[in-house]
Amino acid sequence: MHFLHIGKTGGTAVRTALEPYATAGHYTLVLHGHEQRLRQLAPGEGVVFFLRDPVTRFVSGFNSRLRQGLPRYHLPWSPEQKAVFERFPAPNLLALALSSSHAEEKAAAEKAMDCSGHLRKIAGPWFDGEAGLLARLPDIFHIGFQETLAQDFEILKVKLGLPGEIQLPTDEVAAHKTPKNFETRLEPQAVANLTAWYQEDIRFYQFCRQLVADGRIG
């Protein structure tokens, strides 16, 4: 059973909880990092992943790279990322710049959106879009959502046959949560810009929610 870790969807908390129990249930769990794609997995093997609303994922992902992964990790900026976060020190500023009337500012913002996997679009690269996911639907064992992380993790434990006492970490560092002193506010124009930028990911997120609601997963 493969766990695909999409950044800033609650995956670190899920991995932390599951790692000691990788062989304790009905399946052998393979807990992948951020670079694993669905197309790289052999057909017929089970797949689990969690998603998150793309706009809130952007804010969380921006702040994760802004603090260079601290305090759980220390992943220094690349030179490109250093330039991005010095120019756009808050998620609202980067999101607003996507519709800037100044061509150079807009181009810099668009380039910044590709500076980290936490900010990049995921539907196409990770899953080959809705069509790619549908082609592998028999292999999709569980889709959870960051917004209902605790509830969806409980469902996953039962499906995997894991001990009921397994719990998600509550410590903010272990769960890799954004510290409370980081800016998360988005102006309406920033939200509109991100909604346009992530329109494919938003459609994919809603598509996956509907698959779960219709009982077509697992």
PDB file of all heavy atoms in Angstrom, residues 10-23:
ATOM      1  N   GLY A  10      -1.251  17.631   5.336  1.00  0.00           N
ATOM      2  CA  GLY A  10      -1.331  16.818   6.547  1.00  0.00           C
ATOM      3  C   GLY A  10      -0.514  15.556   6.459  1.00  0.00           C
ATOM      4  O   GLY A  10      -0.527  14.733   7.380  1.00  0.00           O
ATOM      5  N   GLY A  11       0.232  15.406   5.381  1.00  0.00           N
ATOM      6  CA  GLY A  11       0.975  14.167   5.149  1.00  0.00           C
ATOM      7  C   GLY A  11       2.061  13.883   6.163  1.00  0.00           C
ATOM      8  O   GLY A  11       2.318  12.720   6.487  1.00  0.00           O
ATOM      9  N   THR A  12       2.724  14.923   6.669  1.00  0.00           N
ATOM     10  CA  THR A  12       3.775  14.693   7.665  1.00  0.00           C
ATOM     11  C   THR A  12       3.187  14.079   8.928  1.00  0.00           C
ATOM     12  O   THR A  12       3.757  13.147   9.508  1.00  0.00           O
ATOM     13  CB  THR A  12       4.500  16.004   8.001  1.00  0.00           C
ATOM     14  OG1 THR A  12       5.161  16.490   6.823  1.00  0.00           O
ATOM     15  CG2 THR A  12       5.545  15.790   9.099  1.00  0.00           C
ATOM     16  N   ALA A  13       2.041  14.578   9.358  1.00  0.00           N
ATOM     17  CA  ALA A  13       1.383  14.014  10.536  1.00  0.00           C
ATOM     18  C   ALA A  13       0.984  12.562  10.292  1.00  0.00           C
ATOM     19  O   ALA A  13       1.170  11.692  11.157  1.00  0.00           O
ATOM     20  CB  ALA A  13       0.161  14.852  10.911  1.00  0.00           C
ATOM     21  N   VAL A  14       0.442  12.278   9.114  1.00  0.00           N
ATOM     22  CA  VAL A  14       0.024  10.915   8.783  1.00  0.00           C
ATOM     23  C   VAL A  14       1.237   9.983   8.742  1.00  0.00           C
ATOM     24  O   VAL A  14       1.213   8.879   9.313  1.00  0.00           O
ATOM     25  CB  VAL A  14      -0.736  10.889   7.450  1.00  0.00           C
ATOM     26  CG1 VAL A  14      -1.017   9.441   7.011  1.00  0.00           C
ATOM     27  CG2 VAL A  14      -2.046  11.668   7.557  1.00  0.00           C
ATOM     28  N   ARG A  15       2.304  10.404   8.091  1.00  0.00           N
ATOM     29  CA  ARG A  15       3.524   9.590   8.012  1.00  0.00           C
ATOM     30  C   ARG A  15       4.088   9.309   9.402  1.00  0.00           C
ATOM     31  O   ARG A  15       4.494   8.189   9.712  1.00  0.00           O
ATOM     32  CB  ARG A  15       4.579  10.286   7.162  1.00  0.00           C
ATOM     33  CG  ARG A  15       4.395  10.178   5.655  1.00  0.00           C
ATOM     34  CD  ARG A  15       5.472  10.998   4.946  1.00  0.00           C
ATOM     35  NE  ARG A  15       6.786  10.585   5.389  1.00  0.00           N
ATOM     36  CZ  ARG A  15       7.588   9.761   4.707  1.00  0.00           C
ATOM     37  NH1 ARG A  15       7.173   9.245   3.558  1.00  0.00           N
ATOM     38  NH2 ARG A  15       8.780   9.458   5.157  1.00  0.00           N
ATOM     39  N   THR A  16       4.135  10.347  10.235  1.00  0.00           N
ATOM     40  CA  THR A  16       4.679  10.193  11.583  1.00  0.00           C
ATOM     41  C   THR A  16       3.889   9.157  12.366  1.00  0.00           C
ATOM     42  O   THR A  16       4.462   8.333  13.095  1.00  0.00           O
ATOM     43  CB  THR A  16       4.652  11.543  12.321  1.00  0.00           C
ATOM     44  OG1 THR A  16       5.470  12.486  11.601  1.00  0.00           O
ATOM     45  CG2 THR A  16       5.165  11.417  13.742  1.00  0.00           C
ATOM     46  N   ALA A  17       2.567   9.179  12.209  1.00  0.00           N
ATOM     47  CA  ALA A  17       1.722   8.212  12.913  1.00  0.00           C
ATOM     48  C   ALA A  17       1.876   6.798  12.362  1.00  0.00           C
ATOM     49  O   ALA A  17       1.858   5.814  13.124  1.00  0.00           O
ATOM     50  CB  ALA A  17       0.267   8.653  12.837  1.00  0.00           C
ATOM     51  N   LEU A  18       2.037   6.663  11.041  1.00  0.00           N
ATOM     52  CA  LEU A  18       2.036   5.344  10.416  1.00  0.00           C
ATOM     53  C   LEU A  18       3.391   4.641  10.418  1.00  0.00           C
ATOM     54  O   LEU A  18       3.442   3.398  10.392  1.00  0.00           O
ATOM     55  CB  LEU A  18       1.554   5.454   8.966  1.00  0.00           C
ATOM     56  CG  LEU A  18       0.089   5.828   8.739  1.00  0.00           C
ATOM     57  CD1 LEU A  18      -0.203   5.879   7.252  1.00  0.00           C
ATOM     58  CD2 LEU A  18      -0.852   4.847   9.433  1.00  0.00           C
ATOM     59  N   GLU A  19       4.474   5.400  10.446  1.00  0.00           N
ATOM     60  CA  GLU A  19       5.810   4.805  10.278  1.00  0.00           C
ATOM     61  C   GLU A  19       6.088   3.636  11.219  1.00  0.00           C
ATOM     62  O   GLU A  19       6.607   2.592  10.773  1.00  0.00           O
ATOM     63  CB  GLU A  19       6.887   5.883  10.434  1.00  0.00           C
ATOM     64  CG  GLU A  19       7.111   6.684   9.168  1.00  0.00           C
ATOM     65  CD  GLU A  19       8.075   7.846   9.347  1.00  0.00           C
ATOM     66  OE1 GLU A  19       8.330   8.241  10.506  1.00  0.00           O
ATOM     67  OE2 GLU A  19       8.576   8.343   8.312  1.00  0.00           O
ATOM     68  N   PRO A  20       5.753   3.717  12.511  1.00  0.00           N
ATOM     69  CA  PRO A  20       6.056   2.571  13.384  1.00  0.00           C
ATOM     70  C   PRO A  20       5.178   1.346  13.119  1.00  0.00           C
ATOM     71  O   PRO A  20       5.439   0.277  13.674  1.00  0.00           O
ATOM     72  CB  PRO A  20       5.789   3.130  14.790  1.00  0.00           C
ATOM     73  CG  PRO A  20       5.783   4.613  14.652  1.00  0.00           C
ATOM     74  CD  PRO A  20       5.243   4.862  13.281  1.00  0.00           C
ATOM     75  N   TYR A  21       4.156   1.498  12.293  1.00  0.00           N
ATOM     76  CA  TYR A  21       3.188   0.423  12.081  1.00  0.00           C
ATOM     77  C   TYR A  21       3.130  -0.007  10.613  1.00  0.00           C
ATOM     78  O   TYR A  21       2.115  -0.527  10.162  1.00  0.00           O
ATOM     79  CB  TYR A  21       1.803   0.880  12.539  1.00  0.00           C
ATOM     80  CG  TYR A  21       1.762   1.271  14.000  1.00  0.00           C
ATOM     81  CD1 TYR A  21       1.981   2.593  14.377  1.00  0.00           C
ATOM     82  CD2 TYR A  21       1.507   0.324  14.984  1.00  0.00           C
ATOM     83  CE1 TYR A  21       1.949   2.956  15.718  1.00  0.00           C
ATOM     84  CE2 TYR A  21       1.476   0.682  16.319  1.00  0.00           C
ATOM     85  CZ  TYR A  21       1.700   1.997  16.682  1.00  0.00           C
ATOM     86  OH  TYR A  21       1.677   2.356  18.002  1.00  0.00           O
ATOM     87  N   ALA A  22       4.228   0.180   9.885  1.00  0.00           N
ATOM     88  CA  ALA A  22       4.223  -0.060   8.443  1.00  0.00           C
ATOM     89  C   ALA A  22       3.914  -1.504   8.076  1.00  0.00           C
ATOM     90  O   ALA A  22       3.455  -1.777   6.965  1.00  0.00           O
ATOM     91  CB  ALA A  22       5.562   0.360   7.837  1.00  0.00           C
ATOM     92  N   THR A  23       4.145  -2.437   8.992  1.00  0.00           N
ATOM     93  CA  THR A  23       3.861  -3.851   8.703  1.00  0.00           C
ATOM     94  C   THR A  23       2.885  -4.451   9.716  1.00  0.00           C
ATOM     95  O   THR A  23       2.790  -5.673   9.846  1.00  0.00           O
ATOM     96  CB  THR A  23       5.171  -4.674   8.702  1.00  0.00           C
ATOM     97  OG1 THR A  23       5.799  -4.559   9.988  1.00  0.00           O
ATOM     98  CG2 THR A  23       6.119  -4.185   7.628  1.00  0.00           C
TER      99      THR A  23
END
